[in-house]
Amino acid sequence: MSTPPAPQPRADRPAAVGRRERKKREVRERIYAAARRLFTKHGFQATTVDEIARIADVAPATFFNHFQSKQALLDLMTGEVAEALHALSVRHLEAAGPSHERLRGFVADAAESLAASRAIARDVLLEVLRNEAAPDGPHPYLHRLQEPFVRLIAEGQSKGEMRRDRDAAFLAQMAVGMMNSAITSWLADPDYPVEKGLVEATEFALSTLRTESGEAS
């Protein structure tokens, strides 16, 4: 007896699968967009899964079909913020123009972004520090941020805009540390004026970077 031929897939099956996947992706994106909106407005802790589901126009059970928990949404946002911060640093610090103005531009843009989403930005940064904490070294997000700073300072040194009595890597480490002090102050105290603190820390860092043996460069 011959083996019967295997059943052939229906011609419309790939299209049906494609529609299901698109629908699934659309629902997931809608939930994520609703969460971002609520987190930005109210903060992570004050937002509930039920609120996210209501804004996304899905049932709470549907939420859990796409995300294990509210924390999973924050984890996803944390990765996006880390990438955005790195892209922001590259865009400003590797642009054309005087090195000190490029640094000011980066900080001004970062401070504006913080001001626009203050409620969730602090939660995201806390999550970055919690996830990337390293007992024997700097936080990876700071290490990654340092790379464009090293290139900026090295270029500034070659143009006579930055002090040359220390190597660029050391100066970048000090400058990033000064600016990060404003962030850590904010993480410790949510009422700390982080936007102003960032600008002031940057100006102080620049006053150090642009001096050599106590004299302005």
Side-chain angles (χ1 to χ4, degrees):
M1 180 180 294
S2 61
T3 303
Q8 296 298 310
R10 289 171 51 186
D12 63 343
R13 186 166 295 174
V17 171
R19 285 196 296 271
R20 284 198 297 271
E21 286 303 315
R22 284 197 301 273
K23 178 65 174 178
K24 184 178 179 180
R25 186 164 56 247
E26 288 167 3
V27 171
R28 180 181 173 87
E29 290 172 355
R30 199 162 72 239
I31 293 171
Y32 186 56
R36 285 180 64 96
R37 192 156 65 248
L38 289 168
F39 289 171
T40 300
K41 185 176 181 180
H42 303 297
F44 175 75
Q45 295 297 337
T47 300
T48 67
V49 168
D50 285 348
E51 288 175 317
I52 296 171
R54 179 176 58 82
I55 295 298
D57 195 25
V58 299
T62 302
F63 172 95
F64 291 107
N65 287 337
H66 294 272
F67 298 97
Q68 286 187 330
S69 64
K70 187 176 70 167
Q71 180 66 41
L73 286 162
L74 184 62
D75 292 343
L76 185 57
M77 290 179 193
T78 296
E80 289 186 355
V81 168
E83 289 299 321
L85 182 61
H86 179 67
L88 188 69
S89 68
V90 170
R91 184 166 71 248
H92 283 282
L93 302 183
E94 298 187 1
S99 53
H100 58 282
E101 291 302 332
R102 286 146 61 187
L103 179 54
R104 285 190 178 113
F106 164 69
V107 171
D109 209 343
E112 183 178 343
S113 296
L114 283 177
S117 55
R118 215 171 192 275
I120 186 57
R122 185 170 178 274
D123 290 327
V124 165
L125 286 171
L126 283 168
E127 188 67 11
V128 169
L129 294 179
R130 185 181 71 81
N131 286 343
E132 299 190 345
D136 56 350
H139 292 293
Y141 95 95
L142 287 181
H143 178 73
R144 192 177 185 199
L145 186 59
Q146 255 177 234
E147 296 171 2
F149 273 80
V150 173
R151 293 192 289 270
L152 173 77
I153 292 172
E155 183 182 338
Q157 288 176 324
S158 69
K159 295 179 178 178
E161 298 170 347
M162 298 285 184
R163 61 189 297 169
R164 291 188 285 256
D165 59 332
R166 299 277 188 170
D167 64 59
F170 174 81
L171 293 175
Q173 180 184 355
M174 294 299 102
V176 171
M178 289 178 194
M179 287 179 280
N180 190 54
S181 68
I183 297 295
T184 55
S185 294
W186 181 42
L187 297 182
D189 176 11
D191 294 326
Y192 175 79
V194 62
E195 297 90 345
K196 179 182 178 182
L198 268 175
V199 172
E200 290 178 346
T202 301
E203 291 303 320
F204 184 78
L206 280 172
S207 72
T208 302
L209 292 171
R210 297 180 67 198
T211 60
E212 190 167 355
S213 303
E215 297 295 331
S217 62

Coordinates of all heavy atoms in Angstrom, one line a residue, residues 75-145:
D75 N 12.2 47.1 32.5 CA 13.5 46.5 32.0 C 13.7 46.8 30.6 O 14.8 47.2 30.1 CB 13.5 45.0 32.2 CG 13.6 44.5 33.6 OD1 13.9 45.4 34.5 OD2 13.2 43.4 33.9
L76 N 12.6 46.8 29.8 CA 12.7 47.1 28.4 C 13.0 48.6 28.2 O 13.9 48.9 27.3 CB 11.4 46.7 27.7 CG 11.3 46.9 26.2 CD1 12.3 46.1 25.5 CD2 9.9 46.5 25.7
M77 N 12.4 49.4 28.9 CA 12.7 50.9 28.9 C 14.1 51.2 29.3 O 14.8 52.1 28.7 CB 11.7 51.6 29.7 CG 10.3 51.6 29.2 SD 9.2 52.5 30.3 CE 7.6 52.0 29.7
T78 N 14.6 50.4 30.3 CA 16.0 50.7 30.7 C 17.0 50.4 29.6 O 17.9 51.2 29.4 CB 16.3 49.7 31.9 OG1 15.4 50.1 33.0 CG2 17.7 49.9 32.4
G79 N 16.8 49.4 28.9 CA 17.7 49.1 27.8 C 17.6 50.2 26.7 O 18.7 50.6 26.2
E80 N 16.4 50.7 26.4 CA 16.3 51.7 25.4 C 16.9 53.0 25.9 O 17.6 53.8 25.1 CB 14.8 52.0 25.2 CG 14.1 50.9 24.4 CD 12.7 51.2 24.1 OE1 12.2 52.3 24.5 OE2 12.0 50.4 23.3
V81 N 16.8 53.4 27.2 CA 17.4 54.6 27.7 C 18.9 54.5 27.6 O 19.5 55.5 27.3 CB 16.9 54.8 29.2 CG1 17.7 56.0 29.8 CG2 15.4 55.2 29.1
A82 N 19.5 53.4 28.0 CA 20.9 53.2 27.9 C 21.4 53.4 26.5 O 22.4 54.1 26.3 CB 21.3 51.9 28.5
E83 N 20.7 52.9 25.5 CA 21.1 53.1 24.1 C 20.9 54.5 23.7 O 21.8 55.1 23.0 CB 20.2 52.1 23.2 CG 20.6 50.7 23.4 CD 22.0 50.4 23.0 OE1 22.5 50.9 22.0 OE2 22.6 49.5 23.7
A84 N 19.8 55.1 24.1 CA 19.6 56.5 23.8 C 20.6 57.4 24.3 O 21.1 58.4 23.7 CB 18.2 56.9 24.2
L85 N 21.0 57.2 25.6 CA 22.1 58.0 26.2 C 23.4 57.9 25.5 O 24.1 58.9 25.3 CB 22.2 57.6 27.7 CG 23.2 58.4 28.5 CD1 22.8 59.9 28.6 CD2 23.3 57.8 29.9
H86 N 23.7 56.7 25.1 CA 25.0 56.5 24.4 C 24.9 57.2 23.0 O 25.9 57.9 22.6 CB 25.2 55.0 24.2 CG 26.5 54.7 23.4 ND1 27.7 55.0 23.9 CD2 26.7 54.2 22.2 CE1 28.6 54.6 23.0 NE2 28.0 54.2 21.9
A87 N 23.8 57.1 22.3 CA 23.6 57.7 21.0 C 23.7 59.2 21.2 O 24.3 59.9 20.3 CB 22.3 57.3 20.4
L88 N 23.1 59.8 22.2 CA 23.1 61.2 22.5 C 24.6 61.7 22.7 O 25.0 62.7 22.2 CB 22.3 61.5 23.7 CG 22.0 63.0 24.1 CD1 21.1 63.6 23.0 CD2 21.4 63.1 25.5
S89 N 25.3 60.9 23.5 CA 26.7 61.3 23.7 C 27.5 61.3 22.4 O 28.3 62.2 22.2 CB 27.3 60.4 24.8 OG 27.5 59.1 24.3
V90 N 27.3 60.3 21.6 CA 28.1 60.2 20.4 C 27.7 61.4 19.4 O 28.5 62.0 18.8 CB 27.8 58.9 19.6 CG1 28.4 58.9 18.2 CG2 28.4 57.7 20.5
R91 N 26.4 61.7 19.4 CA 25.9 62.7 18.5 C 26.5 64.1 18.8 O 26.9 64.8 18.0 CB 24.4 62.8 18.5 CG 23.8 63.8 17.5 CD 22.3 63.7 17.3 NE 21.5 64.1 18.5 CZ 20.8 63.2 19.2 NH1 20.8 61.9 19.0 NH2 20.1 63.7 20.2
H92 N 26.6 64.4 20.1 CA 27.1 65.7 20.5 C 28.6 65.7 20.7 O 29.3 66.6 20.1 CB 26.5 66.1 21.9 CG 25.1 66.6 21.8 ND1 24.8 67.8 21.4 CD2 23.9 66.0 22.1 CE1 23.4 68.0 21.4 NE2 22.9 66.9 21.8
L93 N 29.2 64.7 21.3 CA 30.6 64.7 21.6 C 31.5 64.5 20.4 O 32.6 64.8 20.4 CB 30.9 63.7 22.7 CG 30.1 63.9 24.0 CD1 30.6 62.9 25.1 CD2 30.3 65.3 24.6
E94 N 30.9 63.8 19.4 CA 31.7 63.6 18.2 C 31.3 64.5 17.0 O 31.7 64.2 15.9 CB 31.6 62.1 17.8 CG 32.1 61.2 18.9 CD 32.1 59.7 18.5 OE1 31.8 59.4 17.3 OE2 32.6 58.9 19.3
A95 N 30.6 65.5 17.3 CA 30.2 66.5 16.3 C 31.4 67.5 16.1 O 32.4 67.4 16.7 CB 29.0 67.3 16.8
A96 N 31.2 68.4 15.2 CA 32.2 69.4 14.9 C 32.0 70.6 15.9 O 31.0 70.7 16.5 CB 32.0 70.0 13.5
G97 N 33.1 71.4 16.1 CA 33.0 72.5 16.9 C 34.0 72.4 18.1 O 34.6 71.4 18.4
P98 N 34.1 73.5 18.9 CA 34.9 73.5 20.1 C 34.5 72.4 21.1 O 33.3 72.2 21.3 CB 34.8 74.9 20.7 CG 34.3 75.7 19.6 CD 33.4 74.8 18.7
S99 N 35.5 71.7 21.7 CA 35.2 70.6 22.6 C 34.3 71.0 23.7 O 33.3 70.3 24.1 CB 36.5 70.0 23.1 OG 37.3 71.0 23.7
H100 N 34.5 72.2 24.3 CA 33.7 72.6 25.5 C 32.3 72.9 25.1 O 31.3 72.6 25.9 CB 34.3 73.8 26.2 CG 34.5 75.0 25.3 ND1 35.5 75.1 24.4 CD2 33.8 76.1 25.2 CE1 35.4 76.3 23.8 NE2 34.4 76.9 24.3
E101 N 32.0 73.4 23.9 CA 30.6 73.6 23.5 C 29.9 72.3 23.2 O 28.7 72.2 23.4 CB 30.6 74.6 22.3 CG 31.1 76.0 22.6 CD 30.2 76.6 23.7 OE1 29.0 76.3 23.8 OE2 30.7 77.5 24.4
R102 N 30.6 71.4 22.6 CA 30.0 70.1 22.4 C 29.6 69.4 23.7 O 28.5 68.8 23.8 CB 31.0 69.2 21.6 CG 31.1 69.6 20.1 CD 32.5 69.4 19.6 NE 32.9 68.0 19.6 CZ 34.2 67.6 19.3 NH1 35.0 68.6 18.9 NH2 34.5 66.4 19.3
L103 N 30.4 69.5 24.7 CA 30.1 68.9 26.0 C 28.9 69.6 26.6 O 28.0 69.0 27.1 CB 31.3 69.0 26.9 CG 31.1 68.5 28.4 CD1 30.6 67.1 28.3 CD2 32.4 68.6 29.2
R104 N 28.8 71.0 26.5 CA 27.7 71.7 27.0 C 26.4 71.3 26.3 O 25.3 71.2 26.8 CB 27.9 73.2 26.8 CG 28.9 73.8 27.9 CD 28.9 75.3 27.8 NE 29.8 75.9 28.8 CZ 30.9 76.6 28.5 NH1 31.3 76.8 27.2 NH2 31.6 77.1 29.4
G105 N 26.5 71.1 25.0 CA 25.4 70.7 24.2 C 24.8 69.3 24.6 O 23.6 69.1 24.7
F106 N 25.7 68.4 24.9 CA 25.3 67.1 25.3 C 24.6 67.2 26.6 O 23.5 66.6 26.8 CB 26.5 66.2 25.5 CG 26.3 64.9 26.3 CD1 25.5 63.9 25.8 CD2 26.8 64.8 27.6 CE1 25.2 62.8 26.6 CE2 26.6 63.7 28.3 CZ 25.8 62.7 27.8
V107 N 25.1 67.9 27.6 CA 24.5 68.0 28.9 C 23.2 68.8 28.8 O 22.2 68.4 29.5 CB 25.5 68.7 29.9 CG1 24.8 69.0 31.2 CG2 26.7 67.8 30.2
A108 N 23.1 69.8 28.0 CA 21.8 70.6 27.9 C 20.7 69.6 27.3 O 19.6 69.7 27.8 CB 22.0 71.8 27.0
D109 N 21.1 68.8 26.3 CA 20.1 67.9 25.7 C 19.7 66.8 26.7 O 18.5 66.5 26.9 CB 20.8 67.2 24.5 CG 19.7 66.8 23.5 OD1 18.5 66.8 23.8 OD2 20.1 66.6 22.3
A110 N 20.7 66.3 27.5 CA 20.4 65.3 28.5 C 19.5 65.9 29.6 O 18.5 65.2 30.0 CB 21.7 64.7 29.1
A111 N 19.8 67.1 30.0 CA 19.0 67.7 31.1 C 17.5 68.0 30.6 O 16.6 67.8 31.3 CB 19.6 69.0 31.5
E112 N 17.4 68.4 29.3 CA 16.1 68.6 28.7 C 15.3 67.3 28.7 O 14.1 67.3 29.0 CB 16.2 69.2 27.3 CG 14.9 69.5 26.7 CD 15.1 70.1 25.3 OE1 16.2 70.6 25.0 OE2 14.1 70.2 24.6
S113 N 15.9 66.2 28.4 CA 15.3 64.9 28.3 C 14.8 64.5 29.7 O 13.7 63.9 29.9 CB 16.2 63.8 27.7 OG 16.5 64.1 26.4
L114 N 15.6 64.7 30.7 CA 15.3 64.4 32.1 C 14.1 65.2 32.5 O 13.1 64.7 33.2 CB 16.4 64.7 33.0 CG 17.6 63.7 33.1 CD1 18.7 64.2 34.0 CD2 17.1 62.3 33.5
A115 N 14.1 66.5 32.2 CA 13.0 67.4 32.6 C 11.7 67.0 31.9 O 10.6 67.1 32.5 CB 13.3 68.9 32.2
A116 N 11.7 66.4 30.7 CA 10.5 66.0 30.0 C 9.9 64.8 30.5 O 8.7 64.5 30.3 CB 10.8 65.9 28.5
S117 N 10.7 63.9 31.2 CA 10.2 62.7 31.7 C 10.8 62.4 33.1 O 11.3 61.3 33.3 CB 10.5 61.5 30.7 OG 11.9 61.5 30.5
R118 N 10.7 63.3 33.9 CA 11.3 63.2 35.2 C 10.8 62.0 36.1 O 11.6 61.3 36.7 CB 11.1 64.5 36.0 CG 12.2 64.9 36.9 CD 12.0 66.3 37.5 NE 13.2 66.9 38.1 CZ 13.6 66.6 39.4 NH1 12.8 65.8 40.1 NH2 14.7 67.1 39.9
A119 N 9.5 61.8 36.0 CA 8.9 60.7 36.9 C 9.5 59.4 36.5 O 9.9 58.6 37.5 CB 7.4 60.7 36.7
I120 N 9.6 59.0 35.3 CA 10.1 57.7 34.9 C 11.6 57.7 34.8 O 12.2 56.6 35.0 CB 9.4 57.2 33.6 CG1 9.8 55.8 33.3 CG2 9.8 58.1 32.4 CD1 9.5 54.8 34.4
A121 N 12.2 58.8 34.4 CA 13.7 58.8 34.2 C 14.4 58.4 35.5 O 15.4 57.6 35.4 CB 14.1 60.2 33.8
R122 N 14.0 58.8 36.6 CA 14.6 58.4 37.9 C 14.5 56.9 38.1 O 15.4 56.2 38.5 CB 14.1 59.2 39.1 CG 14.8 59.0 40.4 CD 14.3 60.0 41.4 NE 15.0 59.7 42.7 CZ 14.5 58.8 43.6 NH1 13.4 58.2 43.4 NH2 15.2 58.6 44.7
D123 N 13.3 56.4 37.9 CA 13.1 54.9 38.1 C 14.0 54.1 37.1 O 14.5 53.1 37.5 CB 11.6 54.6 37.8 CG 10.7 55.1 38.9 OD1 11.1 55.2 40.1 OD2 9.5 55.5 38.6
V124 N 14.1 54.6 35.9 CA 14.9 53.9 34.9 C 16.4 53.9 35.3 O 17.0 52.9 35.2 CB 14.7 54.5 33.5 CG1 15.8 54.1 32.6 CG2 13.3 54.2 32.9
L125 N 16.9 55.1 35.8 CA 18.3 55.2 36.2 C 18.5 54.3 37.4 O 19.6 53.6 37.5 CB 18.6 56.6 36.5 CG 18.8 57.5 35.2 CD1 18.9 59.0 35.6 CD2 20.0 57.0 34.4
L126 N 17.6 54.3 38.3 CA 17.7 53.4 39.5 C 17.8 51.9 39.0 O 18.6 51.1 39.5 CB 16.6 53.5 40.4 CG 16.6 54.8 41.3 CD1 15.3 55.0 42.0 CD2 17.8 54.7 42.4
E127 N 17.0 51.6 38.0 CA 17.0 50.2 37.5 C 18.3 49.9 36.8 O 18.9 48.8 36.9 CB 15.8 50.0 36.5 CG 15.6 48.6 36.1 CD 15.2 47.7 37.2 OE1 14.8 48.2 38.3 OE2 15.2 46.5 37.0
V128 N 18.9 50.9 36.0 CA 20.2 50.7 35.4 C 21.2 50.4 36.4 O 22.0 49.4 36.2 CB 20.5 51.9 34.6 CG1 22.0 51.8 34.1 CG2 19.6 52.1 33.4
L129 N 21.3 51.2 37.5 CA 22.3 50.9 38.5 C 22.1 49.6 39.2 O 23.0 48.9 39.5 CB 22.2 52.1 39.5 CG 22.6 53.5 39.0 CD1 22.5 54.5 40.1 CD2 24.0 53.5 38.4
R130 N 20.8 49.2 39.4 CA 20.5 48.0 40.1 C 21.0 46.8 39.2 O 21.6 45.8 39.7 CB 19.0 47.8 40.4 CG 18.7 46.6 41.2 CD 17.2 46.5 41.5 NE 16.5 46.2 40.3 CZ 16.3 45.0 39.8 NH1 16.9 44.0 40.4 NH2 15.7 44.7 38.7
N131 N 20.7 46.8 38.0 CA 20.9 45.7 37.1 C 22.4 45.6 36.7 O 22.9 44.5 36.5 CB 20.2 45.9 35.8 CG 18.7 45.5 36.0 OD1 18.3 44.9 36.9 ND2 17.9 46.0 35.0
E132 N 23.1 46.8 36.7 CA 24.5 46.8 36.2 C 25.5 47.0 37.3 O 26.7 47.2 37.0 CB 24.7 47.8 35.1 CG 23.8 47.6 33.9 CD 24.1 48.5 32.7 OE1 24.8 49.5 33.0 OE2 23.7 48.2 31.6
A133 N 25.1 46.9 38.5 CA 26.0 47.1 39.6 C 27.1 46.1 39.6 O 26.9 44.9 39.4 CB 25.3 47.0 41.0
A134 N 28.3 46.6 39.7 CA 29.5 45.7 39.7 C 30.4 46.0 40.9 O 30.8 47.1 41.1 CB 30.4 46.0 38.4
P135 N 30.5 45.0 41.8 CA 31.2 45.3 43.0 C 32.7 45.7 42.9 O 33.3 46.3 43.7 CB 31.1 44.0 43.8 CG 30.9 43.0 42.7 CD 30.1 43.7 41.7
D136 N 33.3 45.3 41.7 CA 34.8 45.5 41.6 C 35.1 46.5 40.5 O 36.2 46.5 40.0 CB 35.4 44.1 41.3 CG 34.9 43.4 40.1 OD1 33.8 43.9 39.6 OD2 35.4 42.5 39.6
G137 N 34.1 47.3 40.1 CA 34.4 48.3 39.0 C 33.3 49.2 38.8 O 32.3 49.2 39.5
P138 N 33.5 50.2 37.9 CA 32.5 51.2 37.6 C 31.3 50.6 37.0 O 31.3 49.5 36.4 CB 33.2 52.1 36.6 CG 34.2 51.3 35.9 CD 34.6 50.3 36.9
H139 N 30.1 51.2 37.0 CA 28.9 50.8 36.4 C 29.2 50.7 34.9 O 29.7 51.7 34.3 CB 27.7 51.7 36.7 CG 27.3 51.6 38.1 ND1 26.8 50.4 38.7 CD2 27.4 52.5 39.1 CE1 26.5 50.7 40.0 NE2 26.9 51.9 40.3
P140 N 28.7 49.7 34.2 CA 28.9 49.6 32.7 C 28.4 50.8 32.0 O 29.0 51.2 31.0 CB 28.2 48.3 32.4 CG 28.3 47.5 33.6 CD 28.1 48.4 34.7
Y141 N 27.3 51.4 32.4 CA 26.7 52.5 31.6 C 27.7 53.7 31.7 O 27.8 54.4 30.8 CB 25.3 52.8 32.1 CG 25.2 53.9 33.2 CD1 25.0 55.2 32.8 CD2 25.4 53.6 34.5 CE1 24.9 56.3 33.8 CE2 25.3 54.6 35.5 CZ 25.0 55.9 35.1 OH 24.9 56.9 36.0
L142 N 28.4 53.8 32.9 CA 29.4 54.9 33.0 C 30.6 54.6 32.1 O 31.1 55.5 31.5 CB 29.8 55.1 34.4 CG 28.8 55.8 35.4 CD1 29.4 55.9 36.8 CD2 28.4 57.1 34.8
H143 N 31.0 53.4 32.1 CA 32.2 53.0 31.3 C 31.9 53.2 29.8 O 32.7 53.8 29.1 CB 32.5 51.5 31.5 CG 33.6 51.0 30.7 ND1 34.9 51.4 31.0 CD2 33.7 50.2 29.6 CE1 35.7 50.8 30.1 NE2 35.0 50.1 29.2
R144 N 30.7 52.9 29.4 CA 30.3 53.1 28.0 C 30.2 54.6 27.6 O 30.6 55.0 26.6 CB 29.0 52.4 27.7 CG 28.7 52.3 26.2 CD 27.4 51.6 25.9 NE 27.2 51.4 24.5 CZ 26.1 51.1 24.0 NH1 25.0 51.0 24.7 NH2 25.9 51.0 22.7
L145 N 29.7 55.4 28.6 CA 29.6 56.8 28.4 C 31.0 57.5 28.3 O 31.2 58.5 27.6 CB 28.8 57.4 29.5 CG 28.4 58.9 29.4 CD1 27.6 59.2 28.1 CD2 27.6 59.3 30.6

